């Protein structure tokens, strides 16, 4: 009952919320102002794209799950202070990083991959290419390497000299959030409902921890999947992986049909009511999700439309910037630490 009232309150005030979130986003986040260009490194580091691509080919070949790791790192970076590499910073005596925030701890991996790419790039172009740009390029290449679409990556980001543990906890959507709450977090970043549904399609690759989907499988999973025998069998399998208590770090694929292939099967799973995360299934099953339901149906029916919108939304997300990073930012020599 409390959840329903909370959702209803959000629904009744959604037009006002949208205005507020767009206003806040407009003050802080600018997608078009920063000097991001496709040829930013054309003269200073012309090999950077090929270097990142080759390293990512090795990483994904060794383990296809590395693709999802890089994509998730990029997403978690951009939603906190913009895409400025703040997620890559380790804790120090003078700086509290974002890695141990509740939204990131036990969730993010792949930092060593970024280190290896950075070392390769530094050996060719020392002090030129930011870690933020490397992560953005690597996320694009990761998607391509598991069958996803290509998009051009605007470049020229600077690495932040700060991080925000607090914003990581407040800005990032969580697996058990309701639809309207997740929408509000995307609107705050200047991203639309369409962007949200398309970017959620990244869950067609990657794994989720038991702690992230326990409440879903012991909650309304059976109801949203319509008590279908095949769904019940799948649910029993999930419960064997994730018991009611303990085993928080056991993992399973968010897309059990094609877990290592970037395609639109994630949306087919939502149509069946079998979304692993509550925040994903809400896009199709929430009573307020009229627009999101239509988009899920659209992307399930038309993989080309999904690929096109995902590409566009990734560029849009990658352009989220905090202008402070362009005045106080730097090109880190080591992605884990601010230059000294």
């Amino acid at each position: 009952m409390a959840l329903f009232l909370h959702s209803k309150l959000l629904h009744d005030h959604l037009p006002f919320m949208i205005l507020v979130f767009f206003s806040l986003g407009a003050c802080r986040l600018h997608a078009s102002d920063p000097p991001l260009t496709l040829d930013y490194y054309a003269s200073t580091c012309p090999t950077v794209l090929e270097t990142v691509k080759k390293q990512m080919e090795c990483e994904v070949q060794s383990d296809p799950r590395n693709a999802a790791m890089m994509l998730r790192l990029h997403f978690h970076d951009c939603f906190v202070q913009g895409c400025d590499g703040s997620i890559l910073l380790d804790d120090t005596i003078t700086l509290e990083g974002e890695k141990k925030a509740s939204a990131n701890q036990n969730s993010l991996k792949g930092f060593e991959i970024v280190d290896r790419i950075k070392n390769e790039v530094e050996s060719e172009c020392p002090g030129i290419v930011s870690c933020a740009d490397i992560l953005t390029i690597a996320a694009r290449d990761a998607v391509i390497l598991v069958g996803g679409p290509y998009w051009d990556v605007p470049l020229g980001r600077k690495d932040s000299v700060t991080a925000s543990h607090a914003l990581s906890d407040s800005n990032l959507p969580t697996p058990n959030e309701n639809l309207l709450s997740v929408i509000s977090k995307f609107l705050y970043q200047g991203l639309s409902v369409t962007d949200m549904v398309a970017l959620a399609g990244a869950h067609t690759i990657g794994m989720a921890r038991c702690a992230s989907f326990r409440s879903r499988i012991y909650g309304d999973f059976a109801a949203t999947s319509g008590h279908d025998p095949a769904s019940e069998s799948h649910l029993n399998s999930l419960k064997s992986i994730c018991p009611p208590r303990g085993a928080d770090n056991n993992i399973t694929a968010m897309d059990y049909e094609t877990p290592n292939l970037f395609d639109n099967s994630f949306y087919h799973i939502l149509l069946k009511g079998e979304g692993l995360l509550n925040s994903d299934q809400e896009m199709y099953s929430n009573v307020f999700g009229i627009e999101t339901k239509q988009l899920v149906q659209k992307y399930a029916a038309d993989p080309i439309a999904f690929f096109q919108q995902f590409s566009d939304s990734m560029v849009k997300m990658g352009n989220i910037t905090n202008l402070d990073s362009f005045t106080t930012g730097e090109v880190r020599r080591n992605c884990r630490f601010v230059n000294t």
Side-chain angles (χ1 to χ4, degrees):
M1 182 65 175
L3 286 175
F4 173 76
L5 289 174
H6 179 58
S7 296
K8 186 177 188 304
L9 182 64
L10 285 169
H11 178 258
D12 291 343
H13 293 81
L14 188 58
F16 171 75
M17 287 171 60
I18 290 173
L19 176 62
V20 170
F21 282 117
F22 270 129
S23 298
L24 286 171
C27 293
R28 187 179 64 86
L29 303 166
H30 301 261
S32 59
D33 291 348
L36 301 181
T37 63
L38 296 179
D39 60 351
Y40 188 83
Y41 298 112
S43 60
T44 56
C45 191
T47 59
V48 61
L49 294 176
E50 188 63 25
T51 300
V52 176
K53 177 185 174 183
K54 287 181 178 179
Q55 188 63 42
M56 281 307 303
E57 286 174 347
C58 295
E59 300 292 348
V60 174
Q61 186 175 13
S62 67
D63 187 346
R65 291 180 298 178
N66 286 337
M69 292 179 189
M70 300 309 291
L71 192 53
R72 184 177 295 185
L73 271 180
H74 180 48
F75 176 86
H76 283 233
D77 184 37
C78 292
F79 264 56
V80 180
Q81 300 188 168
C83 311
D84 61 358
S86 60
I87 189 63
L88 304 174
L89 289 169
D90 284 349
D91 288 351
T92 67
I93 295 174
T94 58
L95 184 145
E96 182 183 30
E98 299 165 10
K99 294 179 181 180
K100 294 181 181 177
S102 59
N104 295 329
Q105 195 167 28
N106 302 315
S107 172
L108 297 183
K109 298 180 181 179
F111 298 105
E112 297 81 4
I113 296 174
V114 178
D115 293 339
R116 287 192 285 269
I117 299 173
K118 176 64 171 176
N119 289 338
E120 289 293 322
V121 173
E122 283 293 299
S123 68
E124 298 180 11
C125 315
I128 299 297
V129 183
S130 67
C131 299
D133 274 347
I134 286 173
L135 181 55
T136 306
I137 300 167
R140 187 274 308 272
D141 291 345
V143 170
I144 296 171
L145 289 166
V146 288
Y150 170 91
W151 63 91
D152 290 319
V153 178
L155 299 169
R157 298 164 189 81
K158 296 299 181 184
D159 295 323
S160 68
V161 295
T162 63
S164 181
H165 186 286
L167 286 179
S168 296
D169 285 333
S170 62
N171 285 13
L172 289 164
T174 61
N176 295 314
E177 260 182 289
N178 66 58
L179 177 65
L180 298 180
S181 179
V182 175
I183 287 174
S184 72
K185 290 185 175 182
F186 275 78
L187 294 179
Y188 178 69
Q189 301 294 341
L191 299 171
S192 68
V193 171
T194 299
D195 294 320
M196 182 194 75
V197 178
L199 291 172
H203 288 170
T204 188
I205 55 175
M207 314 292 281
R209 297 170 61 240
C210 169
S212 297
F213 62 86
R214 177 182 284 117
S215 63
R216 165 78 173 131
I217 64 174
Y218 290 98
D220 66 350
F221 189 102
T224 60
S225 60
H227 301 281
D228 177 82
S231 295
E232 289 181 0
S233 175
H234 178 54
L235 178 57
N236 289 334
S237 175
L238 291 173
K239 289 180 176 179
S240 70
I241 296 169
C242 184
R245 288 175 296 279
D248 283 0
N249 291 322
N250 284 359
I251 59 174
T252 192
M254 288 181 280
D255 174 357
Y256 68 87
E257 292 181 346
T258 55
N260 294 322
L261 178 65
F262 195 99
D263 58 16
N264 68 333
S265 64
F266 165 78
Y267 298 104
H268 290 276
I269 290 171
L270 297 187
L271 294 185
K272 294 188 289 185
E274 296 180 351
L276 185 64
L277 305 182
N278 181 72
S279 55
D280 287 339
Q281 190 59 49
E282 284 257 308
M283 295 189 299
Y284 184 73
S285 300
N286 189 295
V287 66
F288 299 130
I290 298 172
E291 181 180 359
T292 58
K293 183 174 184 176
Q294 292 173 343
L295 288 166
V296 169
Q297 292 169 327
K298 175 182 178 179
Y299 299 147
D302 189 346
I304 295 176
F306 164 51
F307 272 28
Q308 181 60 61
Q309 186 58 57
F310 183 83
S311 299
D312 293 344
S313 297
M314 283 296 292
V315 172
K316 190 174 176 181
M317 184 182 76
N319 288 347
I320 299 173
T321 52
N322 182 341
L323 294 185
D324 288 346
S325 68
F326 286 88
T327 56
T328 64
E330 61 185 14
V331 174
R332 291 184 210 136
R333 291 185 292 271
N334 182 329
C335 292
R336 293 174 180 266
F337 302 103
V338 173
N339 295 339
T340 55

